[in-house]
Coordinates of all heavy atoms in Angstrom, one line a residue:
M65 N -16.8 11.1 -35.4 CA -15.8 11.9 -34.7 C -14.8 11.1 -34.0 O -15.1 10.2 -33.3 CB -16.6 12.8 -33.7 CG -15.7 13.7 -33.0 SD -16.6 14.9 -32.0 CE -16.8 14.1 -30.5
K66 N -13.5 11.4 -34.2 CA -12.5 10.6 -33.6 C -12.0 11.4 -32.3 O -11.6 12.5 -32.4 CB -11.3 10.5 -34.5 CG -10.2 9.6 -34.0 CD -9.1 9.4 -35.0 CE -8.1 8.5 -34.4 NZ -7.0 8.2 -35.3
L67 N -12.1 10.7 -31.2 CA -11.7 11.3 -29.9 C -10.2 11.1 -29.7 O -9.6 10.1 -30.1 CB -12.5 10.6 -28.8 CG -14.0 10.7 -28.8 CD1 -14.6 9.9 -27.6 CD2 -14.4 12.2 -28.6
P68 N -9.6 12.1 -29.1 CA -8.1 12.0 -28.8 C -7.9 10.9 -27.8 O -8.6 10.7 -26.9 CB -7.8 13.4 -28.3 CG -9.0 13.9 -27.7 CD -10.1 13.3 -28.6
L69 N -6.8 10.2 -28.0 CA -6.4 9.2 -27.1 C -5.4 9.7 -26.1 O -4.6 10.6 -26.4 CB -5.7 8.0 -27.8 CG -6.6 7.3 -28.8 CD1 -5.8 6.2 -29.6 CD2 -7.8 6.6 -28.1
I70 N -5.5 9.2 -24.9 CA -4.5 9.5 -23.8 C -3.3 8.6 -24.0 O -3.5 7.4 -24.1 CB -5.1 9.3 -22.4 CG1 -6.3 10.2 -22.2 CG2 -4.1 9.6 -21.3 CD1 -7.1 9.9 -20.9
P71 N -2.1 9.2 -24.0 CA -0.9 8.3 -24.1 C -0.9 7.3 -22.9 O -1.4 7.6 -21.8 CB 0.3 9.3 -24.0 CG -0.3 10.7 -24.4 CD -1.8 10.6 -24.0
Q72 N -0.3 6.2 -23.2 CA -0.3 5.1 -22.2 C 0.3 5.5 -20.9 O -0.2 5.2 -19.8 CB 0.5 3.9 -22.8 CG 0.6 2.7 -21.8 CD -0.8 2.0 -21.7 OE1 -1.5 1.8 -22.6 NE2 -1.1 1.7 -20.4
D73 N 1.4 6.3 -20.9 CA 2.0 6.8 -19.6 C 1.0 7.6 -18.8 O 0.9 7.5 -17.6 CB 3.3 7.5 -20.0 CG 3.9 8.1 -18.7 OD1 4.3 7.3 -17.8 OD2 4.1 9.4 -18.7
K74 N 0.4 8.5 -19.5 CA -0.6 9.4 -18.8 C -1.8 8.6 -18.3 O -2.3 8.9 -17.2 CB -1.1 10.5 -19.7 CG 0.1 11.4 -20.3 CD 1.0 12.0 -19.2 CE 2.1 12.8 -19.9 NZ 3.4 12.5 -19.4
A75 N -2.3 7.7 -19.1 CA -3.4 6.8 -18.6 C -2.9 6.0 -17.4 O -3.7 5.9 -16.4 CB -3.8 5.9 -19.7
N76 N -1.7 5.5 -17.3 CA -1.2 4.8 -16.1 C -1.2 5.8 -14.9 O -1.6 5.3 -13.8 CB 0.2 4.3 -16.4 CG 0.2 3.1 -17.3 OD1 -0.8 2.5 -17.6 ND2 1.4 2.8 -17.8
H77 N -0.8 7.0 -15.1 CA -0.7 7.9 -14.0 C -2.2 8.2 -13.5 O -2.4 8.3 -12.3 CB 0.0 9.2 -14.3 CG 1.5 9.1 -14.4 ND1 2.2 9.1 -13.2 CD2 2.3 8.9 -15.4 CE1 3.5 8.9 -13.5 NE2 3.6 8.8 -14.9
L78 N -3.1 8.3 -14.4 CA -4.5 8.6 -14.0 C -5.0 7.4 -13.2 O -5.6 7.6 -12.1 CB -5.4 8.7 -15.3 CG -6.8 9.2 -15.0 CD1 -7.1 10.4 -15.9 CD2 -7.8 8.1 -15.2
I79 N -4.7 6.2 -13.6 CA -5.1 5.0 -12.8 C -4.5 4.9 -11.5 O -5.1 4.6 -10.5 CB -4.8 3.7 -13.7 CG1 -5.6 3.7 -14.9 CG2 -5.1 2.5 -12.8 CD1 -7.1 3.7 -14.8
Y80 N -3.2 5.3 -11.4 CA -2.5 5.3 -10.1 C -3.2 6.3 -9.2 O -3.3 5.9 -8.0 CB -1.0 5.7 -10.3 CG -0.1 4.8 -11.2 CD1 0.9 5.4 -11.9 CD2 -0.4 3.5 -11.3 CE1 1.7 4.6 -12.7 CE2 0.4 2.7 -12.1 CZ 1.4 3.2 -12.8 OH 2.2 2.4 -13.6
G81 N -3.5 7.4 -9.6 CA -4.2 8.4 -8.8 C -5.5 7.8 -8.3 O -5.9 8.0 -7.1
L82 N -6.3 7.2 -9.1 CA -7.6 6.6 -8.7 C -7.4 5.5 -7.7 O -8.1 5.3 -6.7 CB -8.3 6.1 -10.0 CG -9.7 5.5 -9.7 CD1 -10.6 6.5 -9.0 CD2 -10.3 5.1 -11.0
V83 N -6.3 4.6 -7.9 CA -6.0 3.5 -7.0 C -5.6 4.1 -5.6 O -6.1 3.6 -4.6 CB -5.0 2.6 -7.6 CG1 -4.5 1.6 -6.5 CG2 -5.5 1.8 -8.8
I84 N -4.7 5.1 -5.6 CA -4.3 5.6 -4.3 C -5.5 6.2 -3.6 O -5.7 5.9 -2.4 CB -3.3 6.8 -4.6 CG1 -2.0 6.2 -5.1 CG2 -3.0 7.5 -3.3 CD1 -1.0 7.2 -5.6
Y85 N -6.4 6.9 -4.3 CA -7.6 7.5 -3.7 C -8.5 6.3 -3.1 O -8.9 6.4 -2.0 CB -8.4 8.3 -4.7 CG -9.6 8.8 -4.1 CD1 -9.6 10.0 -3.4 CD2 -10.8 8.2 -4.3 CE1 -10.7 10.5 -2.8 CE2 -12.0 8.7 -3.7 CZ -11.9 9.8 -3.0 OH -13.1 10.3 -2.4
T86 N -8.7 5.3 -3.9 CA -9.6 4.2 -3.5 C -9.0 3.5 -2.3 O -9.8 3.1 -1.4 CB -9.8 3.2 -4.6 OG1 -10.3 4.0 -5.8 CG2 -10.7 2.1 -4.3
V87 N -7.7 3.3 -2.2 CA -7.1 2.6 -1.1 C -7.3 3.4 0.2 O -7.5 2.8 1.3 CB -5.6 2.2 -1.4 CG1 -4.9 1.8 -0.1 CG2 -5.5 1.2 -2.5
I88 N -7.1 4.7 0.2 CA -7.1 5.5 1.4 C -8.6 6.0 1.7 O -8.8 6.4 2.8 CB -6.2 6.7 1.2 CG1 -4.8 6.1 1.0 CG2 -6.2 7.6 2.5 CD1 -3.7 7.1 0.7
L89 N -9.5 5.9 0.8 CA -10.9 6.3 1.0 C -11.5 5.8 2.2 O -12.2 6.6 2.9 CB -11.7 6.0 -0.2 CG -13.2 6.4 -0.2 CD1 -13.3 7.9 0.0 CD2 -13.9 5.9 -1.4
P90 N -11.4 4.6 2.6 CA -12.1 4.1 3.8 C -11.7 4.9 5.1 O -12.4 4.9 6.1 CB -11.7 2.6 4.0 CG -11.4 2.2 2.6 CD -10.8 3.4 1.9
I91 N -10.5 5.4 5.1 CA -10.0 6.2 6.3 C -10.7 7.6 6.3 O -11.3 7.9 7.3 CB -8.5 6.4 6.2 CG1 -7.8 5.0 6.3 CG2 -8.0 7.3 7.4 CD1 -6.3 5.1 6.0
N92 N -10.6 8.3 5.2 CA -11.2 9.6 5.1 C -11.2 10.1 3.7 O -10.1 10.0 3.0 CB -10.5 10.6 6.1 CG -11.1 12.0 6.1 OD1 -10.9 12.8 5.2 ND2 -11.8 12.3 7.2
I93 N -12.3 10.7 3.3 CA -12.4 11.2 1.9 C -11.4 12.3 1.6 O -10.7 12.3 0.5 CB -13.8 11.6 1.6 CG1 -14.0 11.9 0.1 CG2 -14.2 12.8 2.4 CD1 -15.5 12.1 -0.3
Y94 N -11.2 13.2 2.5 CA -10.2 14.3 2.3 C -8.8 13.9 2.4 O -7.9 14.4 1.6 CB -10.5 15.5 3.2 CG -12.0 16.0 3.1 CD1 -12.9 15.7 4.1 CD2 -12.3 16.7 1.9 CE1 -14.2 16.2 3.9 CE2 -13.6 17.1 1.8 CZ -14.6 16.9 2.8 OH -15.8 17.3 2.6
L95 N -8.5 13.0 3.3 CA -7.2 12.5 3.4 C -6.8 11.7 2.2 O -5.6 11.8 1.7 CB -7.1 11.5 4.7 CG -5.7 10.8 4.9 CD1 -4.6 11.9 5.1 CD2 -5.8 9.8 6.0
A96 N -7.7 11.0 1.6 CA -7.5 10.2 0.4 C -7.0 11.2 -0.7 O -6.1 11.0 -1.5 CB -8.7 9.4 0.0
M97 N -7.8 12.3 -0.9 CA -7.5 13.3 -1.9 C -6.1 13.9 -1.6 O -5.3 14.2 -2.6 CB -8.6 14.3 -2.0 CG -8.6 15.1 -3.3 SD -8.7 14.1 -4.8 CE -7.4 14.8 -5.7
L98 N -5.9 14.3 -0.4 CA -4.6 14.9 0.0 C -3.4 14.0 -0.3 O -2.4 14.4 -0.9 CB -4.6 15.2 1.5 CG -3.4 16.0 2.0 CD1 -3.3 17.3 1.4 CD2 -3.5 16.1 3.5
M99 N -3.6 12.7 -0.1 CA -2.5 11.7 -0.4 C -2.3 11.6 -1.9 O -1.1 11.4 -2.3 CB -2.8 10.4 0.3 CG -2.8 10.4 1.8 SD -1.3 11.1 2.5 CE -0.1 10.0 2.0
V100 N -3.3 11.7 -2.7 CA -3.1 11.7 -4.1 C -2.3 12.8 -4.6 O -1.4 12.7 -5.4 CB -4.5 11.6 -4.8 CG1 -4.4 11.9 -6.3 CG2 -5.3 10.4 -4.6
V101 N -2.6 14.0 -4.0 CA -1.8 15.2 -4.4 C -0.4 15.1 -4.0 O 0.6 15.3 -4.7 CB -2.5 16.5 -3.8 CG1 -1.6 17.7 -4.0 CG2 -3.8 16.7 -4.4
F102 N -0.2 14.6 -2.7 CA 1.2 14.4 -2.2 C 1.9 13.4 -3.1 O 3.1 13.5 -3.4 CB 1.2 13.9 -0.8 CG 1.0 15.0 0.2 CD1 0.5 14.7 1.5 CD2 1.3 16.3 -0.1 CE1 0.3 15.7 2.4 CE2 1.1 17.3 0.8 CZ 0.6 17.0 2.1
A103 N 1.3 12.3 -3.5 CA 1.9 11.3 -4.3 C 2.3 11.8 -5.7 O 3.4 11.6 -6.2 CB 1.0 10.1 -4.5
G104 N 1.4 12.6 -6.3 CA 1.7 13.2 -7.6 C 2.8 14.2 -7.6 O 3.8 14.1 -8.4
V105 N 2.8 15.1 -6.6 CA 3.8 16.1 -6.5 C 5.1 15.4 -6.0 O 6.2 15.7 -6.6 CB 3.4 17.2 -5.5 CG1 4.5 18.2 -5.3 CG2 2.2 18.0 -6.1
G106 N 5.0 14.5 -5.1 CA 6.2 13.9 -4.5 C 7.0 13.1 -5.6 O 8.2 13.1 -5.7
K107 N 6.2 12.4 -6.5 CA 6.8 11.6 -7.5 C 7.6 12.5 -8.5 O 8.7 12.2 -8.9 CB 5.8 10.8 -8.3 CG 6.2 10.2 -9.6 CD 7.2 9.0 -9.3 CE 7.4 8.2 -10.6 NZ 8.3 8.7 -11.5
E108 N 7.0 13.7 -8.8 CA 7.7 14.6 -9.7 C 8.9 15.3 -9.1 O 9.9 15.5 -9.7 CB 6.7 15.6 -10.3 CG 5.7 14.9 -11.2 CD 6.2 13.9 -12.2 OE1 7.2 14.2 -12.9 OE2 5.7 12.8 -12.2
V109 N 8.8 15.5 -7.8 CA 10.0 16.1 -7.1 C 11.1 15.1 -7.1 O 12.3 15.4 -7.3 CB 9.6 16.5 -5.7 CG1 10.8 16.8 -4.8 CG2 8.7 17.7 -5.7
Y110 N 10.7 13.8 -6.8 CA 11.7 12.7 -6.9 C 12.4 12.6 -8.2 O 13.6 12.5 -8.4 CB 11.1 11.4 -6.5 CG 12.0 10.2 -6.6 CD1 12.9 9.9 -5.6 CD2 11.9 9.4 -7.7 CE1 13.7 8.8 -5.7 CE2 12.7 8.3 -7.9 CZ 13.7 8.0 -6.9 OH 14.5 6.9 -7.0
D111 N 11.5 12.6 -9.3 CA 12.1 12.6 -10.6 C 13.0 13.8 -10.9 O 14.0 13.6 -11.6 CB 10.9 12.6 -11.7 CG 10.2 11.3 -11.7 OD1 10.6 10.3 -11.1 OD2 9.1 11.2 -12.3
H112 N 12.6 14.9 -10.4 CA 13.5 16.1 -10.7 C 14.8 16.0 -10.0 O 15.8 16.4 -10.5 CB 12.7 17.4 -10.2 CG 13.5 18.6 -10.4 ND1 13.7 19.2 -11.6 CD2 14.2 19.4 -9.5 CE1 14.4 20.3 -11.5 NE2 14.7 20.5 -10.2
M113 N 14.8 15.4 -8.8 CA 16.0 15.2 -8.0 C 16.9 14.1 -8.5 O 18.1 14.0 -8.2 CB 15.7 15.0 -6.5 CG 15.1 16.2 -5.9 SD 14.5 15.9 -4.2 CE 16.1 15.8 -3.4
N114 N 16.4 13.2 -9.3 CA 17.1 12.1 -9.9 C 17.0 12.1 -11.4 O 16.6 11.1 -12.0 CB 16.5 10.8 -9.3 CG 16.7 10.7 -7.9 OD1 17.8 10.5 -7.4 ND2 15.6 10.8 -7.1
R115 N 17.4 13.2 -12.0 CA 17.3 13.4 -13.5 C 18.2 12.4 -14.3 O 17.9 12.2 -15.4 CB 17.7 14.8 -13.9 CG 16.6 15.8 -13.5 CD 17.0 17.2 -14.0 NE 15.9 18.1 -13.6 CZ 15.4 18.9 -14.5 NH1 15.9 19.0 -15.7 NH2 14.4 19.8 -14.1
D116 N 19.2 11.8 -13.6 CA 20.0 10.8 -14.3 C 19.2 9.6 -14.7 O 19.5 9.0 -15.7 CB 21.2 10.4 -13.5 CG 22.1 11.5 -13.2 OD1 22.1 12.5 -13.9 OD2 22.9 11.4 -12.2
E117 N 18.2 9.2 -13.9 CA 17.4 8.0 -14.1 C 16.0 8.3 -14.5 O 15.3 7.4 -15.0 CB 17.5 7.2 -12.9 CG 18.9 6.8 -12.4 CD 18.9 6.2 -11.1 OE1 17.9 5.9 -10.5 OE2 20.0 6.0 -10.5
H118 N 15.5 9.5 -14.2 CA 14.1 9.8 -14.3 C 13.9 11.1 -15.1 O 14.7 12.0 -15.1 CB 13.4 9.9 -13.0 CG 13.4 8.6 -12.2 ND1 12.6 7.6 -12.3 CD2 14.3 8.2 -11.2 CE1 12.9 6.6 -11.5 NE2 14.0 7.0 -10.8
V119 N 12.7 11.2 -15.7 CA 12.4 12.4 -16.4 C 11.2 13.1 -15.8 O 10.1 12.5 -15.8 CB 12.0 12.1 -17.9 CG1 11.6 13.4 -18.6 CG2 13.2 11.5 -18.6
P120 N 11.3 14.2 -15.1 CA 10.2 14.9 -14.5 C 9.2 15.4 -15.5 O 9.6 15.9 -16.6 CB 10.8 16.0 -13.7 CG 12.1 16.3 -14.3 CD 12.6 15.0 -15.0
D121 N 7.9 15.3 -15.2 CA 6.9 15.8 -16.2 C 5.7 16.3 -15.4 O 5.0 15.5 -14.7 CB 6.5 14.7 -17.1 CG 5.5 15.1 -18.2 OD1 5.1 16.3 -18.2 OD2 5.2 14.2 -19.0
L122 N 5.4 17.6 -15.4 CA 4.3 18.1 -14.7 C 3.0 17.5 -15.0 O 2.1 17.3 -14.2 CB 4.2 19.6 -15.0 CG 3.1 20.4 -14.3 CD1 3.2 20.3 -12.8 CD2 3.0 21.8 -14.8
Y123 N 2.8 17.1 -16.3 CA 1.6 16.4 -16.7 C 1.4 15.1 -16.0 O 0.2 14.7 -15.8 CB 1.5 16.3 -18.2 CG 1.3 17.6 -18.9 CD1 2.3 18.3 -19.6 CD2 0.1 18.3 -18.8 CE1 2.2 19.5 -20.2 CE2 -0.1 19.5 -19.4 CZ 0.9 20.1 -20.1 OH 0.8 21.4 -20.7
D124 N 2.4 14.4 -15.6 CA 2.3 13.2 -14.9 C 1.6 13.4 -13.6 O 0.7 12.7 -13.2 CB 3.6 12.5 -14.6 CG 4.2 11.9 -15.9 OD1 3.5 11.8 -16.9 OD2 5.4 11.5 -15.8
A125 N 2.0 14.5 -12.9 CA 1.4 14.9 -11.6 C 0.0 15.3 -11.8 O -0.9 14.9 -11.0 CB 2.2 16.0 -10.9
I126 N -0.3 16.0 -12.9 CA -1.7 16.4 -13.2 C -2.6 15.2 -13.4 O -3.7 15.2 -12.9 CB -1.7 17.4 -14.4 CG1 -1.0 18.7 -14.0 CG2 -3.1 17.6 -14.9 CD1 -0.8 19.7 -15.1
Y127 N -2.1 14.3 -14.1 CA -2.9 13.1 -14.4 C -3.2 12.3 -13.1 O -4.2 11.7 -13.0 CB -2.3 12.2 -15.5 CG -2.7 12.7 -16.9 CD1 -2.0 13.6 -17.6 CD2 -3.8 12.2 -17.5 CE1 -2.3 14.1 -18.8 CE2 -4.2 12.6 -18.8 CZ -3.5 13.6 -19.4 OH -3.9 14.0 -20.7
I128 N -2.2 12.2 -12.2 CA -2.4 11.5 -11.0 C -3.5 12.2 -10.2 O -4.4 11.6 -9.7 CB -1.1 11.4 -10.2 CG1 -0.1 10.5 -10.8 CG2 -1.4 11.0 -8.7 CD1 1.3 10.4 -10.2
V129 N -3.4 13.5 -10.1 CA -4.5 14.3 -9.4 C -5.8 14.1 -10.0 O -6.8 14.0 -9.4 CB -4.0 15.8 -9.2 CG1 -5.2 16.6 -8.7 CG2 -2.8 15.9 -8.4
V130 N -5.9 14.1 -11.4 CA -7.1 14.0 -12.1 C -7.7 12.6 -11.7 O -9.0 12.5 -11.5 CB -7.0 14.2 -13.6 CG1 -8.2 13.7 -14.3 CG2 -6.7 15.6 -13.9
G131 N -6.9 11.6 -11.7 CA -7.4 10.2 -11.3 C -8.0 10.3 -9.9 O -9.1 9.7 -9.7
G132 N -7.4 11.0 -9.0 CA -7.9 11.1 -7.6 C -9.2 11.9 -7.6 O -10.2 11.6 -6.9
L133 N -9.3 12.9 -8.4 CA -10.5 13.8 -8.5 C -11.7 13.0 -9.1 O -12.8 13.2 -8.7 CB -10.2 15.0 -9.4 CG -9.5 16.1 -8.7 CD1 -9.1 17.2 -9.8 CD2 -10.2 16.7 -7.6
I134 N -11.4 12.1 -10.0 CA -12.5 11.2 -10.5 C -13.1 10.4 -9.4 O -14.3 10.3 -9.2 CB -11.9 10.3 -11.6 CG1 -11.6 11.1 -12.9 CG2 -12.9 9.2 -12.0 CD1 -10.9 10.4 -14.0
G135 N -12.2 9.8 -8.5 CA -12.7 9.0 -7.4 C -13.4 9.9 -6.4 O -14.4 9.6 -5.8
F136 N -12.9 11.1 -6.2 CA -13.5 12.1 -5.2 C -14.9 12.5 -5.7 O -15.8 12.4 -4.9 CB -12.6 13.3 -5.1 CG -13.0 14.3 -4.1 CD1 -12.8 14.1 -2.7 CD2 -13.7 15.5 -4.5 CE1 -13.2 15.0 -1.8 CE2 -14.1 16.4 -3.5 CZ -13.8 16.2 -2.2
I137 N -15.0 12.8 -6.9 CA -16.3 13.2 -7.5 C -17.3 12.0 -7.4 O -18.5 12.2 -7.0 CB -16.2 13.7 -8.9 CG1 -15.5 15.0 -8.9 CG2 -17.6 13.8 -9.6 CD1 -15.0 15.5 -10.3
I138 N -16.9 10.8 -7.7 CA -17.7 9.6 -7.6 C -18.2 9.4 -6.1 O -19.3 9.1 -5.8 CB -17.0 8.4 -8.1 CG1 -16.9 8.5 -9.7 CG2 -17.8 7.1 -7.8 CD1 -16.1 7.4 -10.3
S139 N -17.2 9.6 -5.2 CA -17.5 9.5 -3.8 C -18.6 10.5 -3.3 O -19.5 10.2 -2.5 CB -16.3 9.7 -2.9 OG -15.3 8.7 -3.2
I140 N -18.5 11.7 -3.8 CA -19.5 12.7 -3.4 C -20.8 12.5 -4.0 O -21.8 12.7 -3.3 CB -18.9 14.1 -3.9 CG1 -17.8 14.5 -3.0 CG2 -20.0 15.2 -3.8 CD1 -17.1 15.8 -3.5
I141 N -20.9 12.0 -5.2 CA -22.3 11.8 -5.8 C -22.9 10.5 -5.5 O -24.1 10.3 -5.8 CB -22.2 12.0 -7.4 CG1 -21.4 11.0 -8.0 CG2 -21.8 13.4 -7.7 CD1 -21.4 11.0 -9.5
T142 N -22.2 9.6 -4.8 CA -22.8 8.3 -4.4 C -23.3 8.4 -3.0 O -22.8 9.2 -2.2 CB -21.8 7.1 -4.5 OG1 -20.7 7.4 -3.7 CG2 -21.4 7.0 -6.0
K143 N -24.2 7.6 -2.6 CA -24.7 7.6 -1.2 C -23.6 7.3 -0.2 O -23.5 8.0 0.8 CB -25.8 6.6 -1.1 CG -26.5 6.7 0.2 CD -27.7 5.8 0.3 CE -28.4 5.9 1.7 NZ -29.5 5.0 1.8
E144 N -22.7 6.4 -0.5 CA -21.7 6.0 0.4 C -20.7 7.2 0.6 O -20.2 7.4 1.7 CB -20.9 4.8 -0.2 CG -21.6 3.5 -0.1 CD -20.8 2.4 -0.6 OE1 -19.6 2.5 -0.7 OE2 -21.4 1.4 -1.0
G145 N -20.4 7.9 -0.5 CA -19.5 9.0 -0.4 C -20.1 10.1 0.5 O -19.4 10.7 1.3
L146 N -21.4 10.4 0.4 CA -22.0 11.4 1.2 C -22.0 11.0 2.7 O -21.9 11.9 3.6 CB -23.5 11.6 0.8 CG -23.6 12.3 -0.6 CD1 -25.1 12.4 -1.0 CD2 -23.0 13.7 -0.6
Q147 N -22.0 9.7 3.0 CA -22.0 9.3 4.4 C -20.6 9.5 5.0 O -20.5 9.5 6.2 CB -22.4 7.8 4.5 CG -23.9 7.6 4.2 CD -24.3 6.2 4.1 OE1 -23.4 5.3 4.3 NE2 -25.6 5.9 4.0
L148 N -19.6 9.6 4.2 CA -18.3 9.8 4.7 C -18.0 11.2 5.3 O -17.0 11.4 6.0 CB -17.2 9.5 3.6 CG -17.2 8.0 3.2 CD1 -16.2 7.9 2.0 CD2 -16.7 7.1 4.3
F149 N -18.9 12.1 4.9 CA -18.7 13.5 5.4 C -19.1 13.5 6.9 O -19.4 14.1 7.6 CB -19.5 14.5 4.6 CG -19.0 14.7 3.2 CD1 -19.7 14.2 2.1 CD2 -17.9 15.4 3.0 CE1 -19.2 14.4 0.9 CE2 -17.4 15.6 1.7 CZ -18.0 15.1 0.7

C-alpha cells in the first residue's frame, strides 16, 4: 500500500507549528497552543494583505495548527505534559 506524501511546503508548515509549540511549552501548555493558532492565522492574514509577494493558503494555516496539535497531544499523554496542568 502506497501512502500519500505531504507536499514539502505543507510538511514545513507542520514542523513550524510543532517548533512554535515546543518553544513556548515551558511557559504554559495552553499559551503554546494559542500562539500556534495565532502564528498560523497571522501568517495567512499577512500573506493575504501582501498578495504581490505572497500567496495566501488556508491549508498552510491548517498544517501549522496540526503541528501544534501534535505537540499538544504528546504533552497531554506524557507525564511531563500532565504536570503542566
